[in-house]
Amino acid sequence: MLTDVNPKLPMRDKDVTKDYYVNKLGFTEFGNKDYDDYLMIEKDHIQIHFFKFKKLSPKKNYGQVYIRTDTIETLYQTLLEHGVPIHPNGHLGIRPWGQKEFSLLDPDSNLLTFGQGI
């Protein structure tokens, strides 16, 4: 039986990644030990893990996570109000596959897509 999935994404700078996810997206850091090359964050019922990859080229990064939500419009508006840039091709809208979605890029160009069924 599968119970959870916790994606692991690359990061170049732990402090920059932590600042973005905690102060802009509202996640919290968790874990009982601070590792220099690893970061774990959570919000509501999801966790995302990050591993240090100093030589990561954001232009060549294909890290992606699809996050389901049941409050897509509120989340989108909150992020806009906090000045979080939305991906130029990822503004909130209904997609042909029956999801209302929006996307953003973190500081390392990991693509975060948030979706809600319609």
Side-chain angles (χ1 to χ4, degrees):
M1 168 175 56
L2 304 178
T3 61
D4 287 308
V5 62
N6 300 312
K8 293 171 72 171
L9 298 174
M11 66 178 172
R12 292 172 293 162
D13 184 308
K14 182 177 177 178
D15 291 332
V16 170
T17 299
K18 184 172 151 181
D19 179 65
Y20 180 80
Y21 281 88
V22 171
N23 296 321
K24 295 200 180 331
L25 302 186
F27 283 79
T28 57
E29 185 176 10
F30 75 94
N32 58 8
K33 186 169 181 183
D34 186 25
Y35 297 98
D36 291 337
D37 296 338
Y38 204 77
L39 174 66
M40 298 180 291
I41 57 159
E42 65 184 346
K43 183 173 182 176
D44 301 326
H45 299 287
I46 70 162
Q47 296 178 5
I48 304 174
H49 296 210
F50 297 89
F51 61 93
K52 187 170 271 185
F53 185 6
K54 288 183 182 181
K55 294 184 180 184
L56 175 69
S57 171
K59 291 182 178 182
K60 295 180 180 181
N61 184 9
Y62 297 103
Q64 299 182 36
V65 177
Y66 192 96
I67 302 169
R68 296 200 180 272
T69 179
D70 57 4
T71 58
I72 190 95
E73 291 177 14
T74 301
L75 177 60
Y76 184 74
Q77 193 59 40
T78 299
L79 294 175
L80 288 177
E81 289 169 3
H82 286 94
V84 175
I86 304 301
H87 188 285
N89 298 322
H91 288 279
L92 184 63
I94 297 173
R95 308 295 185 248
W97 44 89
Q99 295 287 310
K100 187 180 280 192
E101 297 177 350
F102 72 91
S103 299
L104 48 90
L105 292 171
D106 78 3
D108 294 303
S109 293
N110 291 302
L111 180 69
L112 306 176
T113 301
F114 297 86
Q116 179 176 347
I118 53 172

